[in-house]
Amino acid sequence: MSPDPDRQERIILALPNKGRMREPALNLLKSAGVSVTGDDRSYLSKTSNPGIDLLSVRAADIPVYVYYGIADLGITGRDIVAETGLEVYELADLGFGCCNLVVAVDKDSGIRSPSEIPHGSKVATEFPNVTKAYFDELGVLVETITLRGAVEIAPRLGLATAIVDISSTGATLEKNRLSAIGKVMSSSARLICNKISYKTKYDKVEEITNRLRVSP
Amino acid sequence: MTTQIARMLASKAKDEGRLCYITNCIRYLESRNLSLREYWQAGAERVGGDRVSADAEAVALSLEMLNSVGIRASVDLGSMSVIRKLMDRFKINDYKRLTGAIGSKSIDDLRKVTGDRNAIETFTLLMTKRGKAEMIRAIADKAGCLEDEYEYFRDLYRALDAYGCASSVFVDLSTIREMAYYNDLVFEIFTWGIGLPIGGGGRYDAMMKDFGINTTATGFALSIDLCVRALGGPQGNSNETLKVYYQDGFRDKGIELARRLRGSGKCCTLDAYKGERSGILVGEKAVKIESGEEYEP
């Protein structure tokens, strides 16, 4: 498919279509003078700025849309960008969606740090690539099991010895009798950019980045 | 292909020359990687020669090649020697993490590499600004080094100006090539609407020395697959592709016309005339088949 000539003049900004980051992302855009016009649940929406359209897709897919240049900019979690491993520019920390990606085990397991997890143990996670890189660097050989939600129940059901999952307040871990024994990474919402869009639409990308940076 | 070409030159003890190629390449990739395992690329390498002249020739040729097939492209320049010198200046040892932070323009990652305020300010400037040779001047002033690099980039822009392509070339020092053999200038080539660089290259003197030849080398490669995508797919756009036919005995004139058209950025095909009812027919003169009017490109 050939490039759409209209795209040269517009910026498409991808943001999560649901979840904890959508509302703060919309609020941030609004405070930067970009409001959704029409149906904000439509996957492609116009905004009050005729040069910016919004693409609403799953947060986990946003790095993919940005990497391939379907979207020029995207707002998603740093943990998600790290998991995909795709090369995109990370232009700004937007200051919301803060959480940690932690290693957690059953409170009664007796394991106090990630390096004490026995070799060959199973680790359940939604972040298999980040998890593998973390344990590889630690020198602990584990088997990662990829789950798509409710990761915290895996130890109790005997599926895994440990989990790697996001934690904001620790309440979910506590509720499932888990304790965090190590931090894999800190995460928050980031403004990411396609590398070619940064170059071919430099002035517009810089303008939007600066407006989002200074917005309260 | 650069490594293979360097090895071939070394085996022939050749320290001066120009080579070009079009070939398919096969690479190993992890299954999560979204790139193609087999891909086509076209490239050119300049071995030996003056540093500025050879680099300018490589950059200008890459843009001219793309221009000749109708792709308007731009180039961003980076410099591994600038990054190395700044690492020495600020006593930073972790090259991999630093280039990872620079390549993704991540100031958070940069702060994990160094806590030196001056280093953070200098690298932030390097990562967030894009311009011409004065970019190097601003960084040199901030860091208190890089005078040689500034002179090199100024001279490079003079040479690119002579090639007529300086306006399409920018300095963005967060341009990092994944191949570790580049030791000095690196560059990426891109065009709007294609989310990935359509080519890239750089200077790899150190690799030539690793293969036992004391010479210099610079070069680039273009992704043919991405060029095809930029042109609108393998079949092209039939509405924009001009069909040129030649009568018996006029093939050379047909080729000449087709080259002129392609040189001016137009897409055309050339075939022997077999009674087609539309297109351009080349005989004693070039005429539009539909109207019989003389055709002037």
Side-chain angles (χ1 to χ4, degrees), chain B residues 96-233:
Chain B
K96 195 176 170 189
R97 286 181 76 182
L98 178 68
T99 52
I102 293 170
S104 60
K105 293 187 186 285
S106 171
I107 295 164
D108 281 335
D109 287 348
L110 173 65
R111 289 202 179 102
K112 287 178 192 160
V113 179
T114 177
D116 183 322
R117 194 175 157 186
N118 196 10
I120 290 172
E121 285 177 4
T122 304
F123 281 109
T124 300
L125 180 65
L126 177 150
M127 286 156 58
T128 53
K129 296 294 172 201
R130 182 167 175 263
K132 301 282 179 173
E134 77 277 8
M135 274 285 307
I136 310 292
R137 178 73 270 157
I139 295 165
D141 289 345
K142 188 105 193 137
C145 59
L146 305 178
E147 289 304 322
D148 290 350
E149 270 64 27
Y150 175 56
E151 285 307 317
Y152 161 78
F153 272 94
R154 277 184 68 187
D155 204 10
L156 182 67
Y157 264 97
R158 282 189 209 108
L160 291 171
D161 201 29
Y163 277 111
C165 64
S167 62
S168 302
V169 181
F170 300 86
V171 175
D172 179 350
L173 292 169
S174 67
T175 304
I176 305 272
R177 302 284 292 159
E178 62 184 279
M179 283 72 82
Y181 49 72
Y182 291 120
N183 61 295
D184 198 343
L185 180 80
V186 288
F187 59 96
E188 283 189 337
I189 307 154
F190 53 89
T191 187
W192 77 269
I194 301 295
L196 307 165
I198 57 175
R203 175 162 286 280
Y204 51 95
D205 305 341
M207 184 164 68
M208 297 303 287
K209 289 183 178 65
D210 286 345
F211 281 122
I213 292 206
N214 192 21
T215 187
T216 56
T218 191
F220 68 92
L222 302 173
S223 162
I224 292 184
D225 305 283
L226 291 177
C227 288
V228 168
R229 204 203 294 176
L231 287 168

Side-chain angles (χ1 to χ4, degrees), chain A residues 79 97-102 165-168 183-187:
Chain A
D79 50 349
C98 299
C99 61
N100 289 322
L101 194 61
V102 299
D165 202 10
I166 54 172
S167 174
S168 302
K183 186 168 90 173
V184 177
M185 66 183 294
S186 298
S187 180

Side-chain angles (χ1 to χ4, degrees), chain A residues 6 28 39 46 61 69 72 76 108 115 118 133 146-147 168 179 188 203:
Chain A
D6 290 345
L28 180 67
D39 180 9
K46 297 283 178 197
D61 294 334
D72 303 294
T76 192
D108 301 327
S115 56
T146 307
L147 296 178
S168 302
S179 57
S188 58
D203 292 341

Side-chain angles (χ1 to χ4, degrees), chain A residues 67-113:
Chain A
Y67 174 74
Y68 280 109
I70 306 302
D72 303 294
L73 293 165
I75 294 176
T76 192
R78 183 154 197 265
D79 50 349
I80 291 168
V81 178
E83 176 60 23
T84 62
L86 294 171
E87 289 182 15
V88 291
Y89 287 144
E90 201 179 299
L91 300 182
D93 181 346
L94 301 177
F96 59 85
C98 299
C99 61
N100 289 322
L101 194 61
V102 299
V103 183
V105 293
D106 190 289
K107 274 187 170 174
D108 301 327
S109 68
I111 300 170
R112 286 162 300 172
S113 77

